[in-house]
Amino acid sequence: MHRMPLGARRLLILVLTLLTTAAATWMFCAAVRVPWGVLAVLILALYAVLFFWISLSFWLACAGFLCCMLDEGAIPACRPRDADTRRLPEARTAIVMPIYNEDPRRVLAGLRATYESLLATGQGDAFDFFLLSDTTDPDLWLAEELAWARLNQELAGPRRVFYRHRSKNVGRKAGNIADFCERFGASYRYMVVLDADSVMSGATLVELVRRMEADADLGILQAPPVPVNRVSMFARCQQFAAHVYGPIFLAGYSWWAHVDGNYWGHNAIIRLAPFMRHCGLSPLPGTPPLGGEILSHDFVEAALMRRAGLKVCLAQDLGGSYEEVPPTLIGYAQRDQRWCQGNMQHIRLVFSCGLAPMSRLHMGMGAMAYLSSPLWLLFMILSAFTVAAPWGEAPGDEGWRAGGVLFAATMALLLLPKFLGYVYLLFQPGRLRQCGGAVRAAASMMLESVVSILVAPIMMAFHVVFVISTLFGLRVEWDAQERSECGLRFLPALRGHWKQTMAGVFTAAVVLLFAPTMAFWLAPVYTGLILSIPLSMLLGSVRLGQALTRARLLVTPAETMPPDVLVRLRKLLEEPIANELKEPGLLFARLLSDPAFAELHGSILQATDTIAPAAPRQARRVEKLVRTGQPLRILRDDRRAVQGDPAVLRSLRMAHWTALAS
Amino acid sequence: MNSKKPVFSQTRGAAAPDGESPPPAARKVERLLAEYLRAWGLRDPAMVAALCGRWASAATGDTQADLARAAVQRAECDVQKWLDHVATLISPGSAEDRVRRRGLIAMTIQDAIDDYPDAFLRYDSLPTGLLRRLQDAARPVVPNGGAGATMPVQPLGELPPVLRPGMWRRTLTRLLAACLLVTRFNDRP
């Protein structure tokens, strides 16, 4: 497979995808006897576009399967030639973790586990760690500082773990990283970007640097992150899918994209000098939603690296790269909404000058990941309308037969890659055992497939709302995102899904009344929507997840045989949460009463040039409450404002001690 | 009246005979200073009493609050000077570097000072154990000598305003015409 020229690979995938789409569209014409007209052409066009989308993914999975089976494991696009690890200390690498209002306990635990794993490789001296905070929540800000100080006191080895806080998150995550590059980037050859929930093993980090050292044209090397550590049924499904089906999809993608790969924003190593030269981003012309700051910066940075002639590759053969997924369906949707606006901006960025065609395709695919939902919905509405309309005609026997074949073909396209992933697993006895064995892995695959079928219309409904609200500049209100695993209660589930339930009931009623012949075909859609509330609660259930673990269903190698770095992370997370983190304002009170903590905070403000004078009115308001011994009643925004002003803090500390005396 | 007279000098100082217990206002200030020292991690009673006595006797103020403020300010000032000294010992380089390390020096002093109570505010011959601990802990917040660089903004060319209906008018018109063409072609006998 890997001997095939790159152009031929892409042509093959394109031809196969087009042929599949043409055949399916032809069968669709036979199945649905629609009188020719604008409506019919529109339905067919929608069907062809959507089918092209799923058949592309199907053929990539098939190619990946063949790569994995024929080449005895997936071969990465950028294979290292030079195995000299002695060169690493020269190649200084910064491991940066941009954070924004994240749980400091989890963030620091992940960073520490990664650091200790790296130290164990004996190559720790070549790496520096940076915690790049854009946190605006005053309590989390102080908690981060304390956690960083504690980490520095407890760590062994070189302990080059730095902390930088910005008072304003200009440019969001891309701006945060750009600020790092401008301040410290010149001192490093590489940068590894981690997410707040990322963990990477030391061996993987060293290997990433080694591969970059071996190929001077390699600009970005992405280590695909595997979801781990969650217990809820929903998360377990994601984790199982990533472990079992992921390898073939990644192998296919890497075979097809080769050096025109993509960057997913974290768990990747970047060559800093060209990144700084070629990847500076400016806001898009116009106003949000499609103008303003570039939100999904990763795709754009990969495209700009390619435009500069550097390779962007996927290291799909590397393990040791992990992340966490939201434990509930609602949490997952919330995350998707954040990504939606960024991916919608890609519709414009597709037309950027000088980009490689594959980079444009990546951006198109990014936008299509969300746009496909409203297109599916439109397609279903138009199809049902055509059948129910006075001029519409119910399919005859031949139509039903063709429809059945088409339905089977569509399901095959969606489910066959999962089966191929399972077949590949069967050929790897070690991994198979870690996934529960052949029978349990098969049962897990079926369970995951049922869940994904039921969840698909719910996600479609979410995406439709996200796309429409993004394009019209509307806000979708959510409860605060629950990152910890404590299940999903009825009320939050009701708030998150009542509109979908109503939409499901309405759809079922309309279909049964006006187009009963379509009822069977549309059943998976309205059933999923009607059941969205109980389904979401069930999938978010930790108990159910634990029961599945006991039954060894939906288990993954990271669970049955966890690597050291994950074992360490779990142990670190078992430590109890400090009382000061449980109530807002307690840490601010400590800042006033603990002179060493005040010294630490002041030192960080000064060292990172983040001093921001507080408004005199806010300072007076805060001082009044401190003088009367009520620091816990200080408003969040006021706390935030005075925390950035060392002069005000000094006078507040004095006020605190004076208040104590009286 | 003597309301302008410092409370402390009124009750303690040259006028107060040795061995006489300090008045309630002074006791309060001493308790406050003891609390302040405990916040620094110092618990040794003899050391705490000595430092509190020193600061309290030097403080002057009209009211209880003024007295307390003056005493704590004095204490803060002394501790700050000593911290500067310790930071210079630990990091003899630039003042910038000292600022970067001061936070962790302070946190470590808080953890370690109870093991070396005599070293608190001492300028000469600090215990080697404490110095080693401070040297080990005093990591900078950010690395030294971060060379400034710039990331030039990359041109992306003219990006179409895809939400403007005008942009799609021509495409939609062509699509519609194509649909009509297909329909007419299909309707032919």
Side-chain angles (χ1 to χ4, degrees):
Chain A
M1 288 290 282
H2 281 86
R3 263 180 246 124
M4 193 185 283
L6 187 57
R9 297 178 196 182
R10 291 180 184 168
L11 188 67
L12 179 69
I13 292 289
L14 180 69
V15 168
L16 287 172
T17 307
L18 283 175
L19 282 176
T20 320
T21 308
T25 313
W26 182 259
M27 281 161 75
F28 183 77
C29 285
V32 185
R33 278 191 272 161
V34 186
W36 277 98
V38 175
L39 199 59
V41 174
L42 193 61
I43 289 173
L44 275 180
L46 279 173
Y47 184 78
V49 168
L50 292 167
F51 206 89
F52 181 89
W53 178 244
I54 57 170
S55 57
L56 174 64
S57 144
F58 168 78
W59 286 114
L60 285 179
C62 290
F65 176 70
L66 289 176
C67 284
C68 290
M69 297 300 284
L70 299 179
D71 295 329
E72 293 176 350
I75 298 174
C78 301
R79 195 203 277 273
R81 293 186 294 269
D82 183 356
D84 185 5
T85 50
R86 280 171 302 172
R87 288 171 57 188
L88 284 194
E90 284 171 38
R92 292 212 64 75
T93 303
I95 298 178
V96 304
M97 189 184 261
I99 51 172
Y100 178 72
N101 294 334
E102 301 286 347
D103 171 15
R105 191 166 156 265
R106 169 62 188 86
V107 167
L108 270 293
L111 198 74
R112 184 171 179 167
T114 305
Y115 174 88
E116 289 175 352
S117 175
L118 191 57
L119 209 62
T121 64
Q123 303 276 357
D125 286 338
F127 295 83
D128 288 355
F129 286 74
F130 284 83
L131 203 56
L132 305 175
S133 168
D134 266 3
T135 295
T136 50
D137 182 297
D139 297 299
L140 291 177
W141 174 10
L142 294 179
E144 280 169 10
E145 292 181 345
L146 266 185
W148 170 77
R150 204 166 296 138
L151 181 77
N152 258 292
Q153 287 171 326
E154 289 171 3
L155 283 181
R159 286 177 297 148
R160 294 179 62 84
V161 181
F162 303 110
Y163 176 80
R164 196 274 281 118
H165 181 260
R166 291 199 304 168
S167 48
K168 284 182 184 158
N169 66 329
V170 181
R172 303 187 191 212
K173 188 179 167 187
N176 195 351
I177 290 176
D179 179 80
F180 161 79
C181 291
E182 291 183 341
R183 284 190 192 206
F184 312 109
S187 310
Y188 299 94
R189 196 178 296 172
Y190 306 115
M191 163 174 81
V192 176
V193 183
L194 297 183
D195 231 2
D197 56 9
S198 293
V199 182
M200 287 183 85
S201 77
T204 301
L205 287 166
V206 171
E207 180 60 19
L208 285 176
V209 176
R210 201 167 70 87
R211 292 188 184 188
M212 295 295 275
E213 284 286 276
D215 187 348
D217 293 332
L218 190 51
I220 298 178
L221 184 57
Q222 173 74 55
V226 181
V228 289
N229 271 357
R230 295 296 196 192
V231 185
S232 75
M233 187 178 170
F234 178 73
R236 299 186 74 81
C237 285
Q238 308 263 335
Q239 289 168 184
F240 180 82
H243 274 92
V244 177
Y245 322 141
I248 64 159
F249 276 104
L250 292 172
Y253 173 80
S254 180
W255 176 80
W256 173 68
H258 199 60
V259 296
D260 284 305
N262 210 348
Y263 164 46
W264 302 335
H266 57 95
N267 293 36
I269 188 165
I270 297 171
R271 194 176 294 277
L272 257 175
F275 179 80
M276 287 165 68
R277 220 169 20 248
H278 302 293
C279 297
L281 300 179
S282 64
L284 295 177
T287 51
L290 299 191
E293 285 168 356
I294 295 178
L295 300 176
S296 288
H297 57 96
D298 37 14
F299 281 40
V300 187
E301 285 158 353
L304 292 175
M305 274 294 217
R306 280 306 293 144
R307 188 170 78 172
L310 285 116
K311 298 176 190 171
V312 178
C313 293
L314 185 70
Q316 82 277 10
D317 59 321
L318 281 186
S321 169
Y322 310 100
E323 65 173 349
E324 287 174 357
V325 284
T328 61
L329 190 55
I330 289 183
Y332 191 79
Q334 276 176 278
R335 191 183 69 171
D336 259 11
Q337 198 212 345
R338 284 203 305 275
W339 291 350
C340 179
Q341 189 184 346
N343 284 27
M344 288 297 104
Q345 286 180 330
H346 291 173
I347 303 172
R348 296 180 73 194
L349 287 162
V350 164
F351 301 99
S352 304
C353 61
L355 297 189
M358 279 297 279
S359 300
R360 294 184 201 279
L361 190 62
H362 288 318
M363 291 197 192
M365 285 164 87
M368 197 57 190
Y370 292 91
L371 281 176
S372 59
S373 290
L375 293 182
W376 270 116
L377 183 68
L378 184 64
F379 168 73
M380 284 188 290
I381 291 172
L382 290 180
S383 304
F385 175 73
T386 311
V387 172
W391 65 83
E393 210 179 314
D397 283 349
E398 203 179 304
W400 279 115
R401 217 172 298 124
V405 172
L406 198 62
F407 183 75
T410 311
M411 292 312 280
L413 249 62
L414 292 171
L415 297 178
L416 205 57
K418 294 176 193 259
F419 181 70
L420 294 179
Y422 173 71
V423 172
Y424 179 51
L425 185 71
L426 290 179
F427 283 87
Q428 293 174 299
R431 266 184 70 219
L432 181 64
R433 230 182 353 263
Q434 288 164 7
C435 288
V439 176
R440 285 198 176 90
S444 303
M445 185 184 67
M446 281 186 244
L447 185 60
E448 190 279 332
S449 301
V450 171
V451 168
S452 64
I453 289 170
L454 288 171
V455 163
I458 302 174
M459 285 316 294
M460 181 189 75
F462 272 130
H463 283 184
V464 169
V465 174
F466 297 161
V467 169
I468 292 172
S469 59
T470 300
L471 294 181
F472 286 92
L474 306 170
R475 271 181 68 84
V476 178
E477 296 293 340
W478 292 104
D479 292 341
Q481 185 172 345
E482 185 56 71
R483 285 184 188 273
S484 58
E485 286 200 281
C486 51
L488 184 66
R489 289 169 193 275
F490 176 70
L491 276 178
L494 181 70
R495 273 197 294 270
H497 294 292
W498 71 270
K499 288 175 194 159
Q500 293 166 357
T501 310
M502 299 301 287
V505 171
F506 178 75
T507 310
V510 168
V511 168
L512 288 171
L513 274 175
F514 299 105
T517 50
M518 296 286 283
F520 173 75
W521 304 107
L522 290 175
V525 178
Y526 56 73
T527 309
L529 289 174
I530 292 170
L531 295 177
S532 56
I533 293 172
L535 191 65
S536 188
M537 289 173 68
L538 199 71
L539 290 176
S541 163
V542 175
R543 273 192 198 166
L544 185 61
Q546 286 163 339
L548 287 166
T549 314
R550 284 194 291 276
R552 290 179 65 75
L553 285 172
L554 295 173
V555 290
T556 60
E559 203 176 351
T560 48
M561 208 135 148
D564 291 345
V565 70
L566 291 183
V567 173
R568 181 70 182 131
L569 174 67
R570 273 175 219 162
K571 193 151 191 213
L572 287 169
L573 289 173
E574 278 167 14
E575 286 173 15
I577 303 171
N579 283 337
E580 285 160 334
L581 298 178
K582 289 178 183 165
E583 196 184 325
L586 279 178
L587 275 175
F588 183 76
R590 181 173 165 188
L591 185 68
L592 300 180
S593 63
D594 181 342
F597 183 26
E599 201 61 51
L600 173 79
H601 181 71
S603 155
I604 292 174
L605 283 181
Q606 250 184 301
T608 57
D609 302 323
T610 42
I611 294 171
R617 208 176 48 178
Q618 279 179 308
R620 275 198 300 275
R621 208 159 44 209
V622 173
E623 190 162 351
K624 195 175 164 189
L625 286 169
V626 172
R627 277 190 194 289
T628 49
Q630 307 172 77
L632 292 180
R633 292 186 61 193
I634 301 168
L635 298 174
R636 190 175 161 276
D637 284 349
D638 287 352
R639 264 187 283 136
R640 191 181 144 202
V642 296
Q643 271 176 213
D645 190 333
V648 171
L649 275 179
R650 213 170 299 126
S651 74
L652 287 176
R653 286 180 52 228
M654 214 40 76
H656 163 79
W657 286 104
T658 315
L660 272 190
S662 52
Chain B
M1 293 296 285
N2 59 2
S3 64
K4 288 285 173 200
K5 248 180 153 184
V7 176
F8 200 72
S9 58
Q10 217 183 345
T11 53
R12 187 155 177 194
D18 280 346
E20 197 177 302
S21 64
R27 271 207 305 274
K28 259 189 176 176
V29 171
E30 283 189 7
R31 270 205 300 273
L32 181 71
L33 289 168
E35 189 67 37
Y36 175 78
L37 287 171
R38 266 196 293 275
W40 268 111
L42 191 69
R43 278 164 182 78
D44 181 73
M47 190 67 188
V48 169
L51 286 170
C52 290
R54 197 170 89 195
W55 287 326
S57 63
T60 53
D62 297 338
T63 61
Q64 174 73 53
D66 286 350
L67 191 62
R69 191 179 302 113
V72 174
Q73 252 165 3
R74 180 74 192 233
E76 273 270 289
C77 186
D78 284 358
V79 174
Q80 290 292 325
K81 268 191 208 154
W82 182 66
L83 267 180
D84 283 341
H85 169 71
V86 175
T88 315
L89 283 180
I90 303 295
S91 162
S94 65
E96 213 180 21
D97 185 52
R98 279 199 288 282
V99 165
R100 289 186 178 126
R101 294 171 193 267
R102 225 179 122 105
L104 282 181
I105 290 177
M107 293 296 280
T108 312
I109 285 175
Q110 192 183 43
D111 281 349
I113 201 63
D114 213 32
D115 298 337
Y116 309 92
D118 295 341
F120 195 69
L121 300 190
R122 204 163 88 196
Y123 282 80
D124 55 339
S125 56
L126 281 172
T128 325
L130 178 66
L131 271 180
R132 200 176 303 130
R133 220 165 138 179
L134 291 175
Q135 256 156 359
D136 188 46
R139 302 282 146 187
V141 181
V142 287
N144 299 328
T150 49
M151 279 183 77
V153 165
Q154 299 302 309
L156 293 169
E158 257 191 46
L159 301 178
V162 286
L163 280 187
R164 205 170 289 163
M167 188 193 147
W168 298 104
R169 199 168 294 138
R170 188 188 282 181
T171 317
L172 288 176
T173 317
R174 282 182 183 173
L175 204 66
L176 199 67
C179 287
L180 289 173
L181 202 70
V182 169
T183 314
R184 214 176 267 177
F185 177 77
N186 201 59
D187 287 347
R188 248 184 233 171

